[in-house]
Amino acid sequence: MGTTKSDLFSKEQNDLAMMAKALAHPARIAILQYLVKTNACVCGDLVEELGLAQATTSQHLKELKTAGIIQGNIEGASVCYCINPKVWKQYKALFNAFFVDVDLKDKCC
Amino acid sequence: MGTTKSDLFSKEQNDLAMMAKALAHPARIAILQYLVKTNACVCGDLVEELGLAQATTSQHLKELKTAGIIQGNIEGASVCYCINPKVWKQYKALFNAFFVDVDLKDKCC
DNA sequence: TCCCATAATCGCAATATTACGATAAATATT
DNA sequence: AATATTTATCGTAATATTGCGATTATGGGA
């Protein structure tokens, strides 16, 4: 136990859940917002920006990279991170599709 | 350790992360999709629908209820769950606002 | 070449999540 | 009243996440 039973659910459901998981930490939200704001492909000033230790920040960056939503390019000694626009749009589209339907019917139990 | 350092981040960032966390499991995605589809405020057939144990299903329902995105009304011996349309729209709006900005600038590292 | 800066990874501790069986509480049915 | 149905909660085990110090690996100067 402790492991999600992914086989019970559709690929779409698992994908959406994985995307949500990538966003399910304020540090990762903050990283993405910062990257959106600066565009200019930041690197290690994220450590300062967040106030978390270097190791922790690096771990969050890795998770976002694994989720595909950001990419990193080596630039000398440092690494330049930025949003992956293609995947970003996929996230946007899928969340949008997920949240669309309910608006009409307001009656509930 | 093991605990998120929420005090480092803004209320907005923590809120978004909490919303994402509520969606960060395929069973909870499946529950929400089922409630959207049936509207008709389902109850315990979710256990059948999901294929998870009753205790586990109840636990996921509780998390969604705590997040505010669903509500439950007692109906005899069973409980009728449904989407909370107001909170649902808040989720939709916040995720939409989060994902909006990047579209213009496509250049990256 | 010898240091310094940057960032990834390892190892560990604390806590959270996921899942389930067993039990409890509340209502329905007989 | 006795029993069955439905759902919440408790307790527990397995695994995942969060966070950090220490270490490693790489590249840029001095």
Side-chain angles (χ1 to χ4, degrees):
Chain A
M1 290 132 214
T3 327
T4 296
K5 290 193 153 185
S6 324
D7 51 305
L8 291 177
F9 308 100
S10 71
K11 174 163 164 44
E12 190 209 348
Q13 290 166 338
N14 281 304
D15 282 356
L16 244 175
M18 285 225 301
M19 288 181 180
K21 200 176 243 176
L23 305 180
H25 193 290
R28 295 196 287 274
I29 296 285
I31 288 172
L32 293 172
Q33 286 177 332
Y34 191 72
L35 287 180
V36 167
K37 193 181 74 182
T38 60
N39 195 39
C41 304
V42 197
C43 355
D45 22 40
L46 277 168
V47 177
E48 270 185 72
E49 178 71 14
L50 298 181
L52 288 168
Q54 186 266 320
T56 309
T57 306
S58 190
Q59 213 172 342
H60 283 302
L61 284 168
K62 188 184 181 181
E63 283 179 67
L64 289 172
K65 213 165 53 180
T66 302
I69 201 169
I70 67 171
Q71 49 192 155
N73 290 62
I74 299 170
E75 221 163 69
S78 48
V79 175
C80 170
Y81 281 103
C82 58
I83 303 272
N84 181 328
K86 199 169 169 179
V87 178
W88 182 269
K89 278 171 199 159
Q90 281 176 10
Y91 271 54
K92 182 188 167 81
L94 272 170
F95 276 104
N96 221 50
F98 177 74
F99 276 120
V100 115
D101 304 290
V102 150
D103 298 274
L104 327 160
K105 5 178 175 168
D106 255 14
K107 73 173 66 127
C108 215
C109 359
Chain B
M1 287 128 214
T3 327
T4 295
K5 290 194 153 184
S6 324
D7 50 306
L8 290 179
F9 308 102
S10 72
K11 174 164 164 41
E12 190 208 349
Q13 289 166 338
N14 281 303
D15 283 356
L16 244 175
M18 287 224 300
M19 289 181 179
K21 200 176 243 175
L23 305 179
H25 194 289
R28 295 196 287 275
I29 295 286
I31 289 172
L32 292 173
Q33 286 177 333
Y34 191 71
L35 288 180
V36 166
K37 192 180 73 182
T38 59
N39 195 37
C41 304
V42 197
C43 354
D45 21 40
L46 276 168
V47 176
E48 271 185 71
E49 177 71 13
L50 297 182
L52 287 169
Q54 185 266 320
T56 310
T57 306
S58 190
Q59 213 172 346
H60 283 303
L61 284 168
K62 188 184 181 183
E63 283 179 69
L64 290 172
K65 212 166 51 181
T66 302
I69 199 168
I70 68 171
Q71 50 192 150
N73 291 61
I74 298 168
E75 220 162 70
S78 51
V79 175
C80 170
Y81 281 103
C82 59
I83 303 270
N84 181 329
K86 199 169 167 181
V87 177
W88 182 270
K89 278 170 198 159
Q90 282 174 12
Y91 271 56
K92 182 189 167 79
L94 271 170
F95 276 103
N96 221 50
F98 177 74
F99 276 119
V100 113
D101 304 287
V102 151
D103 297 275
L104 328 160
K105 7 179 173 168
D106 255 13
K107 74 173 67 126
C108 215
C109 359

